[in-house]
Amino acid sequence: MRVRRLAPPVEVEPPRSGEDASDCVACGTPDDAYIWVSERWRVRAMDRPTGLPMVLILECRSHLDLGDLPNLLAAELGVMTVRLERAIRSLDGVARVHVNRWGDGSAHLHMWFLARPYGRLQLRGTFLSLWDDILPVIPEHQWRENLALVAAWLADFGGKANAEPAHIQWESPATINVPIPREDPDDGARPATLGDVEAAAATPGDFGVRDNDTPASAGPLAAEAYPNDPLP
Ligand SMILES: [Zn+2]
């Protein structure tokens, strides 16, 4: 393992993805790609099970970034953040929900909600998103059930839940399954079981983290929408 050399600062930063609403991925994605939608907010899951018990993204419908929100949306963002944190924390095996907004990749506001599994003290803190890349993914039926529970929780307060319980197959629409070339940690890098993780932990320096700032579990859409989100 080598320490990466610090690059010199650029004179002018490149534009983020979707600076213009006309080519914004979030604005162009239909409601059925989201697990829950309302008049002004939408909640999206990854396109496949994650290493963490739950990873979700909250977006406003309007093409705005955090600092541009009018007071109504700013106030609702607080309510939505608390509501979603509670919903995710209510899932079995979740100790804590970390809420993050990086915003270096996509211009459209998107808040990350990452659930830390209960008892996994090693996962505490700012490296949680990297652990999501390394841990074996949770079983798909459990992932779908968790999505349905969170969507139903949100729908209790309004809006519409799209994620159905596990016995009804909820599919991400084909539009978000556009493959994009990237190094895929699932091609052998991600351990299949927690036992493998513990075995790998015994190997110094073998951390399995990709040189790519997008969470692997974020899938093609997230990789496209948020290509350069710096994760801690
Ligand atoms: Zn947008």
Side-chain angles (χ1 to χ4, degrees):
M1 181 182 284
R2 282 174 298 161
V3 177
R4 184 187 290 187
R5 193 187 300 266
L6 183 64
V10 299
E11 294 278 333
V12 180
E13 295 201 8
R16 297 177 298 175
S17 165
E19 289 285 5
D20 192 304
S22 62
D23 57 16
C24 171
V25 173
C27 286
T29 303
D31 275 3
D32 56 6
Y34 291 73
I35 67 161
W36 172 88
V37 296
S38 75
E39 201 181 330
R40 290 184 287 274
W41 298 93
R42 302 196 289 181
V43 174
R44 187 149 63 73
M46 307 303 101
D47 71 329
R48 53 186 159 164
T50 46
L52 298 178
M54 184 54 69
V55 178
L56 290 175
I57 292 172
L58 170 67
E59 293 173 359
C60 52
R61 245 183 218 285
S62 307
H63 185 73
L64 296 168
D65 203 348
L66 183 62
D68 307 321
L69 295 182
N71 284 347
L72 169 69
L73 289 179
E76 284 187 347
L77 175 62
V79 174
M80 285 302 306
T81 299
V82 172
R83 191 174 289 165
L84 198 44
E85 195 271 353
R86 271 195 200 129
I88 299 170
R89 193 157 39 85
S90 75
L91 299 172
D92 282 347
V94 172
R96 208 81 64 201
V97 181
H98 294 335
V99 182
N100 297 280
R101 178 269 184 175
W102 288 290
D104 272 337
S106 170
H108 193 125
L109 173 63
H110 55 290
M111 306 277 292
W112 289 88
F113 290 73
L114 302 123
R116 178 173 67 73
Y118 189 89
R120 294 277 172 192
L121 299 184
Q122 200 179 3
L123 274 60
R124 288 180 297 183
T126 52
F127 281 107
L128 187 69
S129 57
L130 298 179
W131 278 105
D132 184 44
D133 285 356
I134 299 166
L135 294 171
V137 299
I138 63 170
E140 178 152 358
H141 68 88
Q142 186 193 336
W143 177 66
R144 290 185 184 282
E145 194 173 298
N146 285 347
L147 291 179
L149 285 169
V150 171
W153 181 297
L154 295 176
D156 272 351
F157 298 93
K160 175 172 170 282
N162 285 335
E164 300 289 347
H167 63 275
I168 301 172
Q169 286 290 306
W170 177 75
E171 296 289 348
S172 303
T175 50
I176 72 169
N177 288 328
V178 181
I180 62 168
R182 67 189 176 91
E183 187 182 344
D184 191 339
D186 284 349
D187 293 337
R190 188 191 286 266
T193 68
L194 285 173
D196 293 343
V197 175
E198 278 147 15
T203 311
D206 183 13
F207 218 65
V209 178
R210 294 165 303 124
D211 185 13
N212 178 334
D213 286 328
T214 303
S217 52
L221 176 59
E224 184 184 332
Y226 317 122
N228 295 310
D229 268 3
L231 299 177

